[in-house]
Amino acid sequence: MLRLLTRLLECAECKRSCKEKGVCDFTEEETTLLISLLSRIYKKTIDETLDFRYDVLRKINQNTAVHATLATVGLEQLAEFLEDDDVEDVVLIPGRPIYVTKRYGKEKTGKISEAKTLRALLKIAHLKGVELTTANPSFRYGLSFGGYRLRVSIDLPPIVPHPQAYVRVHRKKITAKDLVKSGFLTGEQLREIVAWLREGRHVVVSGPPGSGKTTLLAAIDDLIPPHLQRVYIDEADEFEDDPNKNQIKIRSVNKAKEVLASLNRNIDVIFIGELQYEEHFAAFRTASELGLQTLATMHATSVEDAQKRLERRGIEPQNIGIVQLSKKYGDIIERKVAALYAK
């Protein structure tokens, strides 16, 4: 076992092709033991841990790296869905069929969700510092390794009769240019959004679930000059770490408190993440009143609905640009920017 561990560490340090050096050549039996060893090696965070394990395992066998990496934390049941580029979302309710959303719509798979998978997701939530209590039965967090970014949402009793998890899968970074090319938004709409940013307007991206709100907000982030100090207050950590940007990330559900704390950081732009609960709207209201350019996402089916939600929470529409998205089912799921509104 010691010899295997030594070889594992040598493989981790290997910078060249492992086939050239032969450092990472393991038999099938050795690979099984290797996965067991890797499951006991931790980095500072669970994301860094999975990234390290994936990096080693892809050197050994690129074709099985995703499955083997997830197996080290008990999530091997998710592997086939991450490896299927058409899968966008996975719904897991132990003992029931797994449902997925693909580019062309939702479908029932032939797999049954295992309780083990949900327990593993709960354990990871604990490792990320998410408080699991009867007072907090619904929560979410982000998980990433390699090129994969997952947003995990978990609901527990009493708000649902049975524990369930919803996993959204992002496989690559999508830019504003990509979105224009795909028809998600037009060049004219993009220019209008850029003008809002330059004017210092706050931006709310609204739309139904799964319409691409977070994807668009991340693309908008790339339109902001990289030297400007931005703070992301998002428990799901949906924004990529970018060494070229002046970033501060705060994974907290107490967003209003973090907005006030951010005043000591001399920030220029603040990303609230999703406006869902009262404290989220309070954070947006506080940030905008303090003169911080503020960006967020929100569930709404129309511009009018978005305006009403903001106004009910005491947020006046002045100096706010609303980007309204739509989502329609057909041969494929059509997502696009349906309307822009600024008062």
Side-chain angles (χ1 to χ4, degrees), residues 27-252:
T27 66
E28 185 174 337
E29 182 180 355
E30 287 175 331
T31 301
T32 301
L33 291 173
L34 185 70
I35 292 173
S36 177
L37 276 174
L38 277 172
S39 66
R40 304 174 197 177
I41 297 176
Y42 286 85
K43 293 287 187 176
K44 185 177 179 181
T45 68
I46 186 63
D47 296 85
E48 291 174 6
T49 297
L50 287 178
D51 212 39
F52 169 79
R53 295 173 183 176
Y54 177 72
D55 186 55
V56 172
L57 290 165
R58 71 180 177 82
K59 292 175 183 177
I60 298 169
N61 188 332
Q62 180 72 52
N63 295 328
T64 61
V66 172
H67 184 279
T69 300
L70 292 172
T72 66
V73 288
L75 294 178
E76 58 270 26
Q77 190 172 40
L78 290 177
E80 66 177 281
F81 305 115
L82 268 65
E83 292 170 330
D84 184 342
D85 288 342
D86 285 333
V87 173
E88 300 174 348
D89 306 314
V90 185
V91 179
L92 303 163
I93 303 176
R96 297 187 180 184
I98 296 174
Y99 283 82
V100 298
T101 300
K102 294 191 173 183
R103 294 175 182 174
Y104 48 81
K106 297 182 179 180
E107 69 177 42
K108 177 182 176 181
T109 71
K111 308 290 184 179
I112 300 297
S113 178
E114 300 173 2
K116 168 190 171 183
T117 304
L118 189 62
R119 287 196 299 269
L121 290 171
L122 288 169
K123 182 178 179 181
I124 292 171
H126 177 72
L127 291 172
K128 283 183 164 284
V130 178
E131 185 180 1
L132 310 178
T133 66
T134 54
N136 185 36
S138 181
F139 54 87
R140 63 181 188 163
Y141 61 84
L143 186 66
S144 64
F145 70 94
Y148 298 97
R149 294 182 66 82
L150 311 181
R151 184 178 72 186
V152 181
S153 302
I154 298 180
D155 296 318
L156 302 172
I159 64 170
V160 290
H162 306 285
Q164 59 188 53
Y166 174 85
V167 181
R168 178 160 293 173
V169 185
H170 298 283
R171 294 178 179 81
K172 66 176 182 177
K173 184 177 180 62
I174 298 177
T175 66
K177 184 177 180 180
D178 294 329
L179 294 174
V180 170
K181 186 176 180 180
S182 70
F184 182 88
L185 81 163
T186 66
E188 183 179 351
Q189 289 171 331
L190 178 58
R191 287 188 290 273
E192 181 71 13
I193 293 170
V194 170
W196 289 354
L197 296 174
R198 290 175 177 169
E199 293 167 4
R201 281 188 182 273
H202 314 300
V203 177
V204 174
V205 180
S206 63
S211 56
K213 297 184 294 296
T214 301
T215 298
L216 178 57
L217 192 61
I220 290 174
D221 183 20
D222 289 340
L223 303 176
I224 298 171
H227 68 275
L228 294 181
Q229 177 74 76
R230 62 254 279 155
V231 170
Y232 310 88
I233 305 175
D234 184 9
E235 61 270 26
D237 188 21
E238 305 225 46
F239 294 86
E240 289 187 352
D241 294 318
D242 187 340
N244 296 315
K245 291 179 183 174
N246 193 355
Q247 295 177 312
I248 295 176
K249 287 189 171 185
I250 301 171
R251 301 182 181 106
S252 173

